[in-house]
Amino acid sequence: MNRILSLLALIFLFSCEQQQTQSKSPNIIYILADDLGYGELGAYGQTKIETPHIDALAKSGMLFTQHYSSAPVCAPARYMLLTGQHSGKAYIRGNDEWAERGTVWVYKAVINDPNLEGQRPMPEGTITLAKRLQNIGYDTALFGKWGLGAPLSHATPNKMGFDYFYGYNCQRQAHTYYPVHLYENEKRVYLNNDTIAPHTKLSTNPFLSDKERYAPFTLKDYAPELIFDKITKFLDRDTQDPFFLYWATPIPHNALQAPEKWLNHYIQKFGEETAYLGEKGYFPHKNPRAAYAAMISYLDENIGKLIGMLKDNNQYENTLIIFTSDNGVTYSGGTDGVFFNSSGPFGEDFGRGKGFVYEGGIRVPMIASWPGHIKEGSQSDLMSIQYDVQATLSEITGFELPENQDGISFLPSLLSLEPKNKHDYLYWEFPEYGGQLAIRMGDFKLVRQHLKDSLAPTLELYDLKKDPGELHNIADKHPDILKKAAIIFEQAHSKAEIERFQIPILENGLFSNDS
């Protein structure tokens, strides 16, 4: 009898422990690839680049088909992710190297003077998503690329809600995977690498062999490997607190620099190819297609290792993992988006991918996995965007949302429930690459180009359901949709605080001037 009672007591205690585990705040891992195109994963139709671990993540969870970046380039996309604001009201609306400080693009000068490093900081007092999670008891960590405040400013990761940071403070420094230094929290960590400035060209010395000419671009300490090593140490720490791990990997942003194992794999797979000599920026590479694919497969391999660690540490069942990209595929540095069909149906050439508000520049893959909550092998066609992440995590964890945010939680979709609220529209205002504006309203999408350059502003309207490649302008057939877009613009737009982000024509009645 006593043995039976003891057994029942053990079962009761185990049941209680299970309930406590299930009711704990979930760990959150947000993986943000850099310039990864919509079509560069097997789960999204990729056939040349191997991504078995990310594809397995999709099979274990939910794949989103209509998820968007908040902006078509790095810094504003990351700012809007962390603040939940769209680009009609955001402080950071484009890349800003804070050039009035001096020679910010001179790599050696920046190494000698950290006052030249980093990008323009967020406003002092900005409360980020990380800070909100930190305030309710989460351990918060950022690994990878920051780009939202220079090292000696008030907007370093540690001052913006992250307990721990390891990686690149400056996105210019991230133009090489073999940098002279990274940052651990507020301090530089010097690496065993030479000072090879990003965008260095291939030597024209006729007495050097090919091996000797390309040798300077493969050094000793590979930053993604060091970053991932710090991630493993973070996951192995001894704590019961829930964590928010933001892995802002620089991969696959140029330059083309990949681990030898994966590079050799794709050289064998693709065979001979035309060398990239550096004519479109960044470092040259003898096997550019192989190098690009190798970088993505290396990232995929590490995601597999991360998931394995979570399982070994009994953390996997209580961890929400979201994988996505900061914007669409790039056109420079030897990247061959056409060869890989990197944007799927949306187009990869200059003008259609990164830097532009067409679908190839802003529609991104998103995969979410959360055992016991997200149905395995599910898919969502919800129109969602990265400035929704803060609202979603607020609903999951319970932190209070600020009033000045624009996101809508996609938690119901994650749980395969009907969303309580949906976006009436998504909004992009982008001051670079000639000045651009886009508004998505249901299946219709308005695009306006050349708002800051010398060319006449365009007025474009596309039906994405019938024309996902945005090839057939139907603006003249839908004056009603254009009027709706004008009303949305008046509601969403506010004048940018920073002058370089201002688009003067938007302040002068852009829509009212249309005939």
Side-chain angles (χ1 to χ4, degrees):
M1 183 69 178
N2 288 337
R3 290 180 65 185
I4 293 173
L5 290 173
S6 297
L7 181 61
L8 289 172
L10 283 171
I11 292 171
F12 175 75
L13 287 171
F14 179 71
S15 175
C16 289
E17 286 178 4
Q18 272 196 321
Q19 290 175 7
Q20 288 173 359
T21 299
Q22 290 171 356
S23 63
K24 276 175 52 180
S25 294
N27 303 313
I28 300 160
I29 298 178
Y30 191 86
I31 306 171
L32 188 70
D34 198 334
D35 294 359
L36 183 80
Y38 182 87
E40 291 186 327
L41 304 173
Y44 283 84
Q46 177 58 220
T47 59
K48 294 184 175 72
I49 303 171
E50 300 162 25
T51 56
H53 300 290
I54 299 172
D55 300 342
L57 191 69
K59 289 179 182 178
S60 72
M62 179 173 286
L63 182 147
F64 281 71
T65 64
Q66 298 197 73
H67 187 68
Y68 288 90
S69 171
S70 305
V73 297
C74 294
R78 293 155 198 267
Y79 175 82
M80 295 173 215
L81 166 70
L82 292 176
T83 62
Q85 294 182 322
H86 66 52
S87 51
K89 65 171 68 167
Y91 181 78
I92 302 292
R93 303 189 188 186
N95 285 333
D96 183 357
E97 305 309 323
W98 210 8
E100 58 265 35
R101 292 175 295 166
T103 53
V104 297
W105 280 102
V106 179
Y107 188 65
K108 292 183 180 180
V110 173
I111 291 170
N112 292 327
D113 184 1
N115 289 290
L116 298 174
E117 194 173 357
Q119 283 62 51
R120 184 179 296 277
M122 294 185 278
E124 198 161 2
T126 299
I127 302 176
T128 66
L129 165 62
K131 185 64 177 177
R132 297 183 193 284
L133 288 167
Q134 189 183 59
N135 287 342
I136 62 168
Y138 271 74
D139 291 342
T140 58
L142 165 60
F143 300 91
K145 190 170 88 171
W146 177 236
L148 292 172
L152 303 180
S153 75
H154 59 264
T156 59
N158 296 113
K159 296 172 185 173
M160 285 291 164
F162 290 98
D163 297 312
Y164 181 78
F165 166 59
Y166 186 86
Y168 296 92
N169 172 284
C170 176
Q171 59 194 32
R172 296 186 310 277
Q173 302 292 297
H175 288 186
T176 174
Y177 287 94
Y178 295 97
V180 169
H181 67 269
L182 293 171
Y183 275 84
E184 185 165 30
N185 297 318
E186 302 282 341
K187 295 183 179 180
R188 282 185 173 184
V189 177
Y190 287 91
L191 310 183
N192 189 20
N193 292 326
D194 294 330
T195 311
I196 307 298
H199 308 276
T200 298
K201 303 301 181 189
L202 195 67
S203 172
T204 57
N205 185 340
F207 300 105
L208 295 179
S209 66
D210 269 1
K211 183 178 181 180
E212 290 170 323
R213 292 201 299 157
Y214 286 103
F217 310 113
T218 302
L219 302 174
K220 294 180 180 178
D221 286 343
Y222 190 57
E225 184 177 345
L226 300 175
I227 290 166
F228 186 72
D229 182 61
K230 294 294 184 180
I231 290 174
T232 63
K233 287 180 171 58
F234 177 81
L235 291 176
D236 271 342
R237 76 204 188 291
D238 185 17
T239 178
Q240 295 299 312
D241 292 334
F243 63 79
F244 171 54
L245 192 165
Y246 174 29
W247 183 6
T249 173
I251 292 174
H253 192 296
N254 287 318
L256 297 173
Q257 294 169 308
E260 186 176 9
K261 180 188 84 168
W262 281 108
L263 179 62
N264 290 338
H265 173 79
Y266 281 105
I267 289 174
Q268 185 174 7
K269 183 174 181 176
F270 295 158
E272 289 293 324
E273 56 174 305
T274 303
Y276 170 63
L277 302 180
E279 63 273 16
K280 292 184 179 180
Y282 302 96
F283 293 141
H285 203 286
K286 190 175 182 180
N287 300 91
R289 290 173 177 172
Y292 187 75
M295 290 163 68
I296 295 174
S297 287
Y298 170 75
L299 173 62
D300 177 82
E301 179 183 31
N302 280 343
I303 288 172
K305 291 178 181 177
L306 179 141
I307 293 169
M309 283 194 65
L310 293 173
K311 291 178 178 179
D312 290 343
N313 294 346
N314 296 316
Q315 296 170 316
Y316 178 71
E317 298 296 325
N318 193 44
T319 300
L320 167 63
I321 303 172
I322 297 176
F323 175 89
T324 187
S325 176
D326 65 344
N327 48 250
V329 68
T330 191
Y331 48 84
S332 64
T335 304
D336 192 347
V338 174
F339 173 77
F340 291 112
N341 191 26
S342 293
S343 297
F346 306 127
E348 303 88 3
D349 287 333
F350 179 82
R352 288 284 168 170
K354 177 181 178 177
F356 293 87
V357 296
Y358 293 111
E359 294 294 285
I362 54 176
R363 197 183 297 203
V364 292
M366 185 174 82
I367 294 165
S369 174
W370 188 10
H373 298 272
I374 297 176
K375 183 180 178 182
E376 292 185 7
S378 55
Q379 180 174 303
S380 175
D381 299 325
L382 179 74
M383 188 176 75
S384 59
I385 193 164
Q386 283 168 358
Y387 56 75
D388 291 335
V389 171
Q390 179 173 251
T392 305
L393 297 187
S394 168
E395 189 170 7
I396 291 172
T397 65
F399 68 75
E400 188 174 345
L401 272 181
E403 292 183 3
N404 65 337
Q405 68 93 43
D406 302 297
I408 294 176
S409 171
F410 51 77
L411 177 60
S413 293
L414 292 177
L415 303 179
S416 298
L417 302 173
E418 185 63 28
K420 293 174 286 187
N421 299 298
K422 294 183 180 181
H423 284 288
D424 293 326
Y425 65 87
L426 300 179
Y427 187 87
W428 297 268
E429 187 177 306
F430 185 53
E432 300 179 59
Y433 294 83
Q436 305 169 58
L437 179 75
I439 304 171
R440 178 164 176 187
M441 307 152 283
D443 290 330
F444 289 99
K445 182 178 166 194
L446 175 97
V447 175
R448 307 215 63 169
Q449 299 281 337
H450 306 300
L451 303 182
K452 286 187 78 171
D453 59 24
S454 59
L455 300 178
T458 65
L459 179 60
E460 306 164 48
L461 186 70
Y462 302 100
D463 183 342
L464 295 178
K465 189 171 184 178
K466 298 177 181 177
D467 180 24
E470 298 166 291
L471 301 175
H472 306 289
N473 184 3
I474 55 174
D476 59 342
K477 297 178 181 178
H478 291 278
D480 55 327
I481 302 297
L482 298 183
K483 287 180 182 178
K484 181 180 178 181
I487 294 170
I488 291 171
F489 169 76
E490 291 297 330
Q491 295 171 345
H493 169 72
S494 63
K495 187 175 181 180
E497 293 183 51
I498 299 173
E499 185 177 358
R500 68 175 280 114
F501 298 152
Q502 293 172 7
I503 305 176
I505 195 171
L506 297 184
E507 317 304 332
N508 298 324
L510 171 64
F511 283 90
S512 62
N513 292 333
D514 294 329
S515 55

